[in-house]
């Protein structure tokens, strides 16, 4: 150590590199010895904003600040090649650096990039010959073209692995037949193109077509990429300069290509990830910077030659943009586990496990509920149908029973014409037997027979209509006619019971909508009920009247009797099933009346008349008012 | 008085016009004279001619029924036998009608033979009634010839009393009783005390029925 300091102060900067290397190898640098802050000058080949430089710088600083020992001053310089070049420029830069850092001589120089290393080596004598050089981001191939490096120039070289990237693309796009390679016109671009052209015989085996778009104007390249057939894959390292001389950073040029391309684009640099490229085997510039930083630390500590001089290259890692994987339909299973996947959106399950579980639970519960409700609804519908059917059966059964009660009246109604027919026929027989020629009388007899026959069959027809188990209808019908059809039987029944039945129908006739038979049933039940009510009275007082009125949109059917009326305590239960004041009654007549009337959208009420007896009032909607109402009901 | 040889007149009472007409035709064809009435009231509206005949009566009619008419006829002095017709025979009605003296109870439709047979029976019945009525009338005439004293004696005789008992009861001589008794038998045309009893019995029954 003393020796080293003596050397530096006394012999200046003309000691041979061997000695320096010896000293370097044996002892830490002076800065470390006297605990002042070490100066590290980083010289980059390119511009300050080149993404590779930005990331490399970040890695480098991270490694330097993380090292043990005193603080490190890091100074950055950018040669800005290829925008600026030429011996005069470089010589000027040398002078500039010499002047600038004279007062802060660097302890280590870091050369970022092949051009920077070449510059540092070429101008080393004029610059800071004592400072060891650590290189980073220098391709292995470039190291090969340089003269053998002095021992105090160390670093881990890089290697761009274009082939592996293209092979990976081949695997991910098994349908692709065309490989398009895009390069530029700058010297570096030409170098990349040369590499690709060297590889093209190998690529030709994998791809049907290998197409070079080398050194073309950017506009022409974009136009071409826009129209690529579906089975194409693009590979580009980007370019610094296009065929028209426009300059870019490779990232900028690639960004333009990606925006235009109709095929997936693969690249060799991880700084391009995120602009729309699929990915590729890439160098990690931040990692490179970190590696360089570690080497600098080791150099500063004077014990690093072994690892720093290692000839291994920086690893290339497969990087891939998840969004592009999705966009181009790449099989996810074909992505190796070692790949660095960028922009992978966490799946819904990963991001919102609890919410998803909750949502699934809610959906399941809801589904269960809905299924339950549907089942319930169906059961209810079936129950309603069954109930309607039962009610229909009951209504019909009741009607049959009522007609049974009317047997006497019906027999009278039928026997009357039958009796007339028989007597007429027998009279005719006797007239003929007597040999008397009375054709006019015979003709009249025959006419009467026909008339009475029709009268009898009409009774039977009406009876059949009443007894038939018909489908419930919902049609317009003439209420006067419907009442008229059952009038004769009701009158006959009234007569049989020694009562008088008066029927008053409105003129003009009333039309309503509903089931004609059921309305007739309502009338029959009410009239029979009224006849029951007057049964105990002396015959002259056994009077029942039926009156039909039409008032604004409603038809009112009134059935009055002159009986003893309804006792107040019976009033509320009057229309209940099985409520009867008669010993023989089933108590269904009035309850069925109510069922039928309500099914027609009407209502039935009972009251005691002013002159004694009961009045049953049925109010029904007339046709036209609520004509379309309640089709589904019995 | 009535003409017993007058042809019978059949009264048809039914509210059903076609049936009425048909019955009239049939009866006419069978050689009967017949009259039609639409109701009981119609029938009673005009005096019933005193001729042999019968009533062909519907049980149920608007207004007074056939049974009502049956009950009302004696008051109106009409003794014609009644044949009931009904469209639907119920037992209580028919029993009531027969008890009240109906000759027959026919169910509609009525066959000719049944009808004519019933009418035949009714006319025979009517004939007998008329004869009984005539007999009773004649008997009543003869009883009317008896003096109050003779009637008193007759009652005692019919009651089975001996002349002596009667004489003591009426406080007259036994001989007087014998004379009054002979006068009674003479006026009534009886030949024995037993015959007297039969006549008195017929007389009593006749005035009751």
């Amino acid at each position: 150590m003393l020796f080293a300091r003596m050397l530096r102060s006394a012999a200046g900067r003309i000691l041979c590199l061997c000695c320096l290397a010896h000293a370097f190898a044996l002892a830490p640098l002076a800065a470390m010895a006297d605990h002042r802050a070490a100066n590290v000058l980083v010289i980059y080949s390119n511009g300050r904003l080149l993404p590779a430089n930005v990331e490399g710088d970040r890695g480098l600083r991270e490694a330097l600040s993380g090292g043990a020992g005193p603080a490190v001053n890091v100074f950055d310089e950018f040669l800005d090649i290829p925008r600026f070049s030429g011996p005069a420029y470089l010589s000027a830069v040398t002078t500039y650096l010499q002047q600038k850092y004279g007062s802060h001589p660097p302890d280590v120089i870091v050369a970022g990039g092949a051009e920077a290393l070449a510059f540092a080596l070429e101008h080393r004598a004029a610059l800071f010959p004592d400072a060891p050089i650590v290189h980073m981001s220098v391709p292995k191939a470039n190291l090969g073209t340089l003269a053998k490096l002095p021992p105090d120039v160390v670093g881990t070289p890089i290697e761009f692995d274009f082939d592996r990237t293209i092979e990976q693309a081949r695997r991910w796009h098994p349908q692709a037949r065309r490989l398009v390679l895009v390069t530029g016109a700058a010297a570096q671009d030409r170098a990349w193109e040369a590499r690709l052209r060297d590889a093209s015989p190998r690529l030709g085996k994998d791809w049907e077509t290998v197409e070079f778009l080398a050194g073309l104007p950017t506009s022409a390249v974009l136009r071409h990429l826009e129209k690529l057939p579906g089975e194409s894959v693009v590979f580009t390292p980007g370019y610094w300069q296009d065929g028209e001389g426009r300059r870019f950073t490779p990232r900028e040029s690639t960004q333009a290509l990606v925006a235009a391309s109709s095929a997936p684009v693969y690249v060799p640099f991880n700084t391009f990830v995120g602009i729309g490229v699929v990915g590729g085997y890439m160098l990690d510039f931040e990692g490179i910077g970190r590696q360089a930083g570690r080497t600098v630390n080791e150099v500063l500590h004077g014990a690093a030659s072994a690892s720093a001089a290692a000839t291994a290259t920086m690893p290339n890692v497969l990087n891939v943009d998840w969004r592009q994987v999705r966009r181009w339909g790449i099989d996810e299973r074909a992505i190796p586990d070692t790949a660095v996947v960028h922009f992978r959106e966490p799946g819904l399950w990963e991001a919102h496990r609890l919410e998803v579980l909750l949502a699934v639970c809610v959906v399941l519960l809801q589904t269960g509920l809905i299924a339950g409700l549907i089942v319930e609804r169906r059961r209810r519908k079936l129950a309603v149908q069954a109930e309607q059917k039962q009610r229909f059966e009951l209504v019909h059964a009741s009607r049959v029973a009522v007609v049974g009660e009317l047997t006497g009246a019906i027999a009278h109604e039928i026997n009357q014409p039958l009796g007339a027919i028989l007597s007429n026929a027998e009279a005719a027989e006797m007239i003929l037997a007597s040999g008397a020629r009375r054709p006019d009388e015979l003709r009249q007899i025959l006419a009467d027979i026909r008339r009475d026959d029709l009268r009898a069959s009409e009774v039977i027809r009406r009876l059949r209509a009443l007894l038939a188990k018909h489908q419930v209808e919902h049609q317009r019908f003439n209420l006067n006619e419907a009442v008229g059809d059952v009038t004769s039987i009701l009158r006959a029944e009234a007569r049989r019971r020694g009562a008088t039945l008066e029927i008053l129908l409105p003129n003009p006739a009333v039309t309503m909508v509903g089931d004609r038979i059921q309305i007739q049933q309502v009338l029959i039940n009410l009239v029979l009920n009224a006849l029951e009510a007057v049964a105990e009275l002396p015959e002259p007082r056994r009077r029942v009247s039926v009156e039909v009125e039409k008032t604004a949109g409603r038809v009112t059917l009134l059935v009055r009797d002159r009986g003893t009326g309804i006792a107040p305590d019976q009033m509320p239960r009057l229309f209940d099933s099985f409520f009867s004041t008669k010993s023989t009654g089933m108590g269904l007549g009035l309850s069925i009346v109510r069922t039928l009337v309500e099914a027609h959208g009407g209502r039935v009420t009972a009251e005691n008349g002013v002159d004694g007896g009961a009045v049953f009032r049925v109010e029904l909607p007339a046709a036209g008012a609520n004509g379309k109402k309640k089709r589904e009901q019995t | 008085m009535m003409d017993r040889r007058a042809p019978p007149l059949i009264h048809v009472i039914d509210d059903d016009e076609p049936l009425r007409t048909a019955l009239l035709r049939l009866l006419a064809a069978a050689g009967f004279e017949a009259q039609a009435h639409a109701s009981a009231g119609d029938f009673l509206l005009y005096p019933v001619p005193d001729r042999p005949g019968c009533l062909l009566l519907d049980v149920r009619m608007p207004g007074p029924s056939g049974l009502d008419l049956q009950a009302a006829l004696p008051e109106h002095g009409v003794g014609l036998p009644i044949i009931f017709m009904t469209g639907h025979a119920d037992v209580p009605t028919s029993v009531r009608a027969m008890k009240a003296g109906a000759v027959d109870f026919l169910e509609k439709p009525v066959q000719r033979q049944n009808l004519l047979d019933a009418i035949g029976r009714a006319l025979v019945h009517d004939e007998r009634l008329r004869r009984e009525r005539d007999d009773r009338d004649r008997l009543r005439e003869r009883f009317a010839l008896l003096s109050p004293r003779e009637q008193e004696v007759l009652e005692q005789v019919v009651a089975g009393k001996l002349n002596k008992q009667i004489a003591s009861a009426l406080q007259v001589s036994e001989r007087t009783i014998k004379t009054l008794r002979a006068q009674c038998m003479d006026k009534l045309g009886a030949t024995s005390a037993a015959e007297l009893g039969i006549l008195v019995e017929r007389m009593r029954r006749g005035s009751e029925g």
Side-chain angles (χ1 to χ4, degrees):
Chain A
M1 225 154 99
L2 279 173
F3 175 66
R5 195 190 287 176
M6 184 190 74
L7 274 183
R8 210 181 305 177
S9 58
R13 294 166 184 143
I14 51 167
L15 282 176
C16 76
L17 287 169
C18 287
C19 288
L20 195 117
H22 180 71
F24 170 74
L26 290 178
L29 291 181
M32 308 307 294
D34 56 13
H35 297 285
R36 68 171 175 84
N39 292 329
V40 174
L41 173 59
V42 188
I43 302 171
Y44 291 98
S45 299
N46 321 102
R48 183 171 65 83
L49 295 177
L50 185 74
N53 291 349
V54 174
E55 292 195 7
D57 178 57
R58 192 187 307 138
L60 179 69
R61 283 171 190 270
E62 184 190 318
L64 290 179
S65 65
V72 175
N73 296 320
V74 180
F75 305 106
D76 300 315
E77 291 299 335
F78 299 88
L79 297 180
D80 217 350
I81 295 168
R83 278 192 286 186
F84 303 96
S85 58
Y89 165 66
L90 292 174
S91 153
V93 171
T94 308
T95 309
Y96 158 74
L97 294 176
Q98 212 174 16
Q99 295 290 321
K100 185 175 177 183
Y101 295 99
S103 54
H104 298 83
D107 297 297
V108 175
I109 292 174
V110 176
E115 294 85 352
L117 179 61
F119 168 78
L121 290 176
E122 189 183 340
H123 298 275
R124 193 170 191 197
L127 282 170
F128 306 98
D130 295 346
I133 296 174
V134 173
H135 66 79
M136 66 174 185
S137 296
V138 176
K140 200 174 181 181
N142 291 57
L143 287 182
T145 61
L146 292 172
K148 193 175 182 315
L149 289 179
D152 62 346
V153 176
V154 294
T156 310
I158 60 169
E159 194 166 33
F160 293 115
D161 209 345
F162 293 5
D163 289 11
R164 264 176 97 191
T165 299
I166 293 169
E167 282 165 23
Q168 187 61 56
R170 167 79 282 175
R171 280 196 288 277
W172 280 350
H173 301 279
Q175 261 83 48
R177 298 208 298 266
R178 173 193 294 254
L179 174 66
V180 180
L181 303 165
V182 185
T183 52
Q188 176 67 66
D189 300 334
R190 292 297 178 192
W192 284 337
E193 181 191 342
R195 270 193 68 167
L196 288 167
R197 293 220 184 256
D198 286 349
S200 65
R202 284 198 308 282
L203 298 174
K205 289 180 203 155
D206 281 351
W207 304 83
E208 228 168 76
T209 314
V210 178
E211 184 179 13
F212 278 89
L213 301 176
L216 296 175
T218 298
S219 54
V221 174
L222 297 187
R223 265 200 308 282
H224 191 82
L225 293 184
E226 276 170 16
K227 293 186 199 125
L228 282 177
E231 64 279 14
S232 304
V233 167
V234 178
F235 176 83
T236 182
Y239 49 79
W240 295 92
Q241 193 181 334
D242 73 356
E244 286 174 327
R246 289 175 62 197
R247 292 181 180 280
F248 305 86
T249 66
R251 188 176 191 267
E252 285 164 356
S253 52
T254 304
Q255 200 158 14
L257 303 184
V258 166
S261 176
S262 59
V265 178
Y266 286 79
V267 293
F269 307 123
N270 74 336
T271 49
F272 295 7
V273 172
I275 61 172
V277 300
V278 179
Y281 277 90
M282 295 164 176
L283 288 166
D284 172 9
F285 288 103
E286 196 175 332
I288 290 168
R290 260 196 307 274
Q291 174 63 31
R294 281 195 292 274
T295 308
V296 169
N297 283 337
E298 287 163 354
V299 168
L300 287 174
H301 285 86
S305 59
S307 76
T311 50
T313 56
M314 292 299 297
N316 276 273
V317 177
L318 180 58
N319 284 258
V320 61
D321 184 334
W322 181 255
R323 298 169 301 188
Q324 302 305 318
V325 167
R326 282 295 172 82
R327 177 181 169 198
W328 299 107
I330 295 166
D331 186 357
E332 292 170 26
R333 290 167 298 182
I335 300 173
D337 292 342
T338 53
V340 178
V341 179
H342 299 265
F343 308 111
R344 181 174 206 152
E345 291 157 27
L348 195 62
W349 177 247
E350 291 151 341
H352 305 285
R353 185 180 299 248
L354 187 66
E355 289 86 339
V356 168
L357 274 174
L358 267 174
V360 167
C361 282
V362 166
V363 167
L364 281 177
L365 279 173
Q366 211 169 27
T367 307
L369 186 67
I370 289 169
L373 287 175
I374 287 173
V375 168
E376 195 51 39
R377 180 162 171 264
R378 190 174 156 66
R379 282 178 53 191
R380 196 161 138 185
K381 202 170 149 192
L382 287 175
V384 166
Q385 278 174 354
E387 196 228 320
Q388 276 182 353
K389 190 168 170 352
Q390 275 176 5
R391 190 164 57 177
F392 175 74
E393 296 281 349
L394 176 64
V395 165
H396 177 253
S398 153
R399 199 157 61 228
V400 171
V402 165
V403 170
E405 277 183 51
L406 293 174
T407 315
I410 292 162
H412 180 266
E413 283 303 287
I414 293 175
N415 284 332
Q416 229 33 42
L418 287 184
I421 288 168
L422 186 60
S423 298
N424 271 321
E426 286 169 340
E429 220 170 59
M430 291 171 77
I431 290 168
L432 287 172
S434 72
R437 294 178 59 80
R438 286 142 67 184
D440 287 347
E441 190 176 1
L442 288 175
R443 206 171 289 122
Q444 184 57 50
I445 287 173
L446 288 175
D448 286 358
I449 286 176
R450 168 185 286 152
R451 179 201 59 200
D452 291 332
D453 185 284
L454 290 176
R455 185 152 69 108
S457 62
E458 179 66 9
V459 173
I460 291 170
R461 187 189 65 74
R462 289 173 187 164
L463 203 61
R464 278 172 59 99
L466 271 179
L467 288 175
K469 209 174 209 175
H470 71 302
Q471 280 297 310
V472 177
E473 288 176 349
H474 196 79
Q475 289 175 345
R476 297 173 75 86
F477 66 91
N478 183 324
L479 184 60
N480 286 34
E481 282 177 14
V483 172
D485 270 2
V486 291
T487 298
S488 59
I489 283 179
L490 288 176
R491 276 194 203 285
E493 178 65 14
R495 178 190 319 171
R496 197 176 70 80
R497 296 169 184 238
T500 321
L501 177 63
E502 287 170 31
I503 296 184
L504 218 72
L505 294 174
N507 191 15
V510 179
T511 306
M512 64 168 288
V513 173
D515 188 284
R516 175 191 166 103
I517 300 292
Q518 292 189 342
I519 295 301
Q520 288 177 333
Q521 189 174 359
V522 167
L523 178 68
I524 291 172
N525 283 11
L526 288 178
V527 168
L528 287 184
N529 190 65
L531 287 174
E532 293 283 347
V534 298
E536 304 299 323
L537 301 177
E539 281 201 22
R541 285 185 55 202
R542 293 183 202 162
R543 297 167 71 87
V544 171
S545 71
V546 174
E547 201 175 331
V548 176
E549 292 173 354
K550 188 181 176 185
T551 50
R554 290 193 88 73
V555 179
T556 308
L557 182 70
L558 287 167
V559 178
R560 283 180 228 268
D561 62 57
R562 295 285 187 277
T564 52
I566 306 159
D569 62 314
Q570 291 170 359
M571 207 58 113
R573 299 172 56 208
L574 205 57
F575 293 99
D576 289 354
S577 296
F578 307 114
F579 174 76
S580 179
T581 56
K582 297 170 278 185
S583 54
T584 53
M586 272 282 283
L588 284 178
L590 290 180
S591 100
I592 278 172
V593 164
R594 186 174 62 179
T595 301
L596 295 180
V597 168
E598 286 177 356
H600 281 78
R603 65 198 190 100
V604 55
T605 52
E607 65 207 36
N608 284 316
V610 284
D611 45 357
V615 181
F616 284 82
R617 180 187 296 270
V618 174
E619 289 181 358
L620 293 162
N626 290 321
K628 291 285 173 198
K629 208 173 169 185
K630 296 195 174 181
R631 166 171 283 274
E632 74 283 1
Q633 290 206 18
T634 304
Chain B
M1 288 274 331
M2 62 147 256
D3 180 359
R4 202 174 298 173
R5 269 155 298 278
L9 176 62
I10 317 292
H11 301 274
V12 178
I13 305 165
D14 195 307
D15 62 309
D16 191 62
E17 195 274 331
L19 185 69
R20 232 159 45 221
T21 309
L23 286 173
L24 284 189
R25 279 195 190 118
L26 181 62
L27 292 175
F32 287 109
E33 195 181 332
Q35 254 181 14
H37 313 273
S39 68
D42 255 19
F43 175 72
L44 294 175
L45 206 54
Y46 302 100
V48 182
D50 188 13
R51 284 171 59 177
C54 66
L55 262 62
L56 210 47
L57 183 55
D58 192 14
V59 178
R60 289 291 178 190
M61 288 179 289
S65 71
L67 293 176
D68 295 335
L69 181 60
Q70 182 187 26
L73 282 182
E75 290 171 33
H76 290 79
V78 180
L80 292 173
I82 297 174
I83 301 168
F84 276 109
M85 299 182 296
T86 177
H88 176 68
D90 61 301
V91 175
T93 310
S94 48
V95 168
R96 205 178 126 195
M98 296 308 281
K99 270 188 172 170
V103 178
D104 236 318
F105 204 93
L106 300 178
E107 209 173 330
K108 291 178 190 171
V110 184
Q111 294 196 21
R112 174 180 54 195
Q113 204 48 55
N114 294 349
L115 178 67
L116 296 183
D117 288 353
I119 289 176
R121 280 195 298 276
L123 292 180
V124 169
H125 186 68
D126 181 47
E127 174 67 28
R128 200 177 71 234
L129 285 179
R130 282 170 190 282
R131 212 171 37 241
E132 283 174 7
R133 246 189 335 259
D134 290 349
D135 289 352
R136 241 184 351 259
D137 288 347
R138 274 199 302 279
L139 202 60
R140 203 172 284 121
E141 284 165 24
R142 280 189 251 166
F143 271 97
L145 297 175
L146 299 179
S147 68
R149 205 65 178 170
E150 285 164 353
Q151 283 180 21
E152 279 177 354
V153 172
L154 183 60
E155 269 176 40
Q156 300 281 344
V157 171
V158 173
K161 300 267 174 67
L162 298 172
N163 287 346
K164 199 152 86 182
Q165 292 170 306
I166 300 169
S168 111
L170 298 181
Q171 295 183 336
V172 289
S173 69
E174 201 176 336
R175 184 179 177 84
T176 310
I177 296 301
K178 274 184 183 170
T179 309
L180 287 170
R181 187 173 171 161
Q183 282 170 353
C184 281
M185 289 173 74
D186 189 41
K187 282 181 179 171
L188 295 177
T191 54
S192 67
E195 206 171 330
L196 262 185
I198 291 168
L199 285 175
V200 168
E201 185 57 30
R202 261 171 54 188
M203 179 68 197
R204 281 184 184 152
R205 215 174 44 216
S207 59
E208 280 167 12

